[in-house]
């Protein structure tokens, strides 16, 4: 089959790599992709949010399946346009993607579905925000209602800062603070039914020890040796299936990947957020452990036929990914630094490098984004996977490039960003 993947980051490189490895994929295309993806797929230079251009490309390459990586094309309605023109597409409709695109819509769905989440109030004015802050108390959690690329949430003990964020955002969701480790559980959904993938954990803060500013994610590992053995099943039963049922009931059936960001609190599991797409960088480690051909699973979701697909199998062992970021990330990443040492890094057994923010400048590979590379290490256990990822990362040179040194160093319940 011919598959077209939309997007250009490390998550898309992981998707393309996984698609290339198993099943009956005969041709891979990516738009716009990156140089790493270009080693596995034909690249097409177009904006992934341009529904007309994407549909025309899907037709031109006779794609049997289009896989949408990032949230922007989903929220722009690219999945709807593809399906309307008869193209099989993995990814939710524009309306269903509002589960990520609007925090207040997500809260409404969870409340109606009885899904456990932080108590919250949607506030449109400053007096409303002030009242909500008083009601929930410190630490304050203030979230912009729309998509904000990881910058929309402020968690603070400073009431004035919380109010400033509310004022700057307009409509906000203010909610109770959740304490406990955060985990990411992905579910593949076909509109009616779903299956969960291996739980993973990512590291959102820039600095070691969960210090410094929030980022898109500096590393991840899977599986979670410390988590309850039934975490994925519990998430399916208490979170994913009720959410799908409610979305179907209100006329927005959800097909694609439903990402449940969970907090394991002392009072039980709570949803922190939903995303409408694979998480980045968790996908890089989850797909590393997948033992079932990805193309078959994604096609089953896209065609509403997940019930008859075999459930995903998981390879034993563990995977760790370490993000190499550009100088100045996340505030102001410096572009253009030359990247060297990839062949050496990939000679480390069990290690490989996914490209996230890279470009070609003549013969050179250069940094072209904030998160530049994802070094993945796999092994019999987390310690082995981690050692390989860091051994490979140390062989890569990029002026000003940096990474956290504590990814999966202490994989225990205390390590979550919310802990
Ligand atoms: P979100 O965009 O909703 O995932 O929020 C970004 C990050 O803010 C989360 O990953 C958490 O680390 C933190 N956060 C969000 N909501 C809460 C909450 N209710 N309590 C504590 N931390 C939170
Ligand atoms: N890893 C966090 C995200 O993808 O939103």
């Amino acid at each position: 089959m011919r598959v077209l993947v939309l997007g250009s980051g490390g998550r898309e490189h992981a998707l393309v790599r996984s698609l290339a490895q198993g099943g009956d994929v005969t041709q891979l295309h990516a738009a716009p992709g990156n140089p790493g993806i270009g080693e596995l797929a034909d690249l097409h230079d177009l904006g992934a949010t341009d529904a007309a251009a994407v549909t025309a490309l899907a037709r031109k390459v006779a794609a049997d399946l289009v896989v949408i990586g990032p949230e922007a094309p989903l929220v722009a309605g690219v999945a709807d346009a593809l399906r309307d023109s008869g193209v099989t597409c993995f990814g939710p409709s524009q309306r269903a993607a509002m589960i990520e695109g609007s925090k207040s819509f997500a809260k409404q769905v969870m409340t109606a579905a009885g899904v456990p989440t932080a108590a919250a109030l949607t506030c449109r004015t400053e007096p409303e925000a002030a009242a909500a802050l008083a009601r929930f108390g410190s630490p304050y959690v203030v979230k912009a209602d729309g998509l904000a690329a990881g910058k929309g949430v402020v968690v603070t003990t400073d009431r004035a800062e919380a109010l400033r964020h509310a004022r700057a955002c307009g409509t906000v969701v203010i909610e109770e603070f959740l304490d406990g480790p955060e985990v990411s559980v992905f579910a593949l959904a076909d509109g009616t039914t779903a299956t969960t993938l291996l739980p993973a954990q990512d590291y959102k803060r820039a600095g070691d020890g969960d210090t410094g500013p929030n980022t898109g994610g500096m590393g991840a590992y899977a599986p979670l040796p410390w988590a309850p053995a039934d975490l994925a099943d519990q998430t399916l039963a208490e979170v994913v299936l009720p959410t799908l049922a409610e979305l179907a009931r209100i006329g927005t059936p959800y097909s694609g990947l439903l990402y449940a960001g969970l907090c394991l609190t002392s009072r039980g599991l709570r949803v922190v957020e939903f995303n409408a797409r694979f998480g980045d960088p968790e996908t890089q480690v989850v797909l590393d452990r997948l033992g079932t051909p990805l193309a078959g699973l994604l096609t089953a979701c896209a065609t509403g036929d997940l019930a008859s697909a075999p459930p995903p199998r998981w390879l034993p062992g563990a995977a760790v990914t370490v993000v190499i970021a550009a100088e100045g990330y996340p505030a102001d990443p410096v572009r253009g630094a030359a990247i060297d040492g990839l062949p050496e890094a990939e000679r480390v057994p069990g290690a490989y490098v996914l490209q996230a923010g890279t470009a070609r400048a003549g013969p050179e590979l250069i940094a072209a984004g904030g998160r530049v590379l994802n070094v993945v290490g796999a092994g019999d256990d987390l310690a082995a996977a981690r050692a390989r990822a860091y051994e490979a990362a140390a062989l890569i040179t990029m002026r000003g490039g940096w990474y956290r040194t504590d990814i999966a160093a202490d994989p225990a319940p205390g390590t979550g960003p919310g802990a």
Side-chain angles (χ1 to χ4, degrees):
M1 64 187 288
R2 292 171 294 265
V3 185
L4 166 62
V5 176
L6 300 184
S8 62
R11 164 187 49 210
E12 286 75 26
H13 195 171
L15 285 164
V16 166
R17 184 176 187 272
S18 188
L19 287 164
Q21 279 178 347
D24 62 348
V25 176
T26 50
Q27 258 184 52
L28 272 163
H29 298 270
N34 67 37
I37 295 172
E39 289 170 19
L40 301 167
D42 292 339
L43 300 186
H44 303 271
D45 187 17
L46 55 80
T49 54
D50 182 340
V54 169
T55 306
L57 174 63
R59 286 247 175 87
K60 185 172 143 216
V61 302
D64 299 296
L65 176 69
V66 177
V67 179
I68 303 184
E71 61 273 25
L74 296 167
V75 170
V78 172
D80 308 72
L82 285 164
R83 279 194 278 266
D84 286 349
S85 63
V87 179
T88 304
C89 171
F90 178 84
S93 68
Q94 183 173 36
R95 286 178 63 205
M98 289 308 279
I99 200 86
E100 170 166 1
S102 165
K103 302 270 185 202
S104 57
F105 175 68
K107 282 289 177 192
Q108 274 169 34
V109 170
M110 283 189 269
T111 305
V115 169
T117 183
L121 289 169
T122 300
C123 306
R124 293 183 180 79
T125 65
E126 198 165 329
E128 280 176 11
L133 294 177
R135 169 164 162 193
F136 294 122
S138 172
Y140 305 106
V141 182
V142 182
K143 303 184 172 188
D145 192 30
L147 278 186
K151 299 200 180 77
V153 178
V154 162
V155 180
T156 177
T157 53
D158 180 346
R159 189 174 167 282
E161 186 191 354
L163 260 187
R164 256 199 317 277
H165 188 59
R167 204 179 303 131
C169 292
T171 302
V172 289
V173 171
I174 294 182
E175 64 181 39
E176 80 182 294
F177 177 78
L178 301 172
D179 63 333
E182 276 187 49
V183 300
S184 304
V185 179
F186 300 163
L188 293 172
D190 75 349
T192 323
T193 192
T195 187
T196 42
L197 305 184
L198 205 58
Q201 193 173 43
D202 81 340
Y203 291 71
K204 292 207 173 75
R205 299 280 187 166
D208 282 5
D210 293 329
T211 55
N214 253 319
T215 72
M218 294 303 298
Y221 67 95
L224 310 178
W226 54 269
D230 65 349
L231 176 61
D233 290 343
Q234 195 192 348
T235 306
L236 185 67
E238 293 180 15
V239 174
V240 175
L241 293 177
T243 300
L244 294 184
E246 172 62 14
L247 286 168
R249 191 188 68 78
I250 61 175
T252 48
Y254 191 99
S255 103
L257 190 123
L258 183 65
Y259 167 136
L262 305 173
C263 186
L264 308 186
T265 75
S266 50
R267 288 166 299 133
L269 163 169
R270 299 281 185 280
V271 175
V272 177
E273 63 163 345
F274 281 126
N275 291 317
R277 36 101 193 146
F278 280 96
D280 190 344
E282 299 97 308
T283 299
Q284 289 81 320
V285 289
V286 171
L287 293 184
D288 183 85
R289 298 289 87 202
L290 180 64
T292 312
L294 181 62
L297 286 171
L298 301 187
T299 302
C301 288
T303 55
D305 198 23
L306 198 54
S308 55
R313 261 188 328 104
W314 299 102
L315 306 176
V320 172
T321 187
V322 175
V323 171
I324 302 188
E327 181 179 1
Y329 178 78
D332 193 11
V334 176
R335 289 162 192 265
I339 301 164
D340 286 301
L342 294 196
E344 292 76 7
E346 297 214 317
R347 279 201 286 274
V348 173
Y352 55 93
V353 182
L354 301 170
Q355 297 187 23
T358 59
R360 285 239 171 258
E364 272 190 331
L365 188 68
I366 60 166
R371 293 187 293 172
V372 181
L373 301 171
N374 309 146
V375 184
V376 183
D380 290 342
D381 57 24
L382 276 178
R386 168 180 153 73
R388 288 169 161 178
Y390 276 109
E391 185 185 342
L395 294 167
I396 296 170
T397 55
M398 181 174 94
R399 187 172 26 84
W402 59 276
Y403 48 87
R404 272 183 72 155
T405 65
D406 64 346
I407 305 301
D410 180 22
T415 52

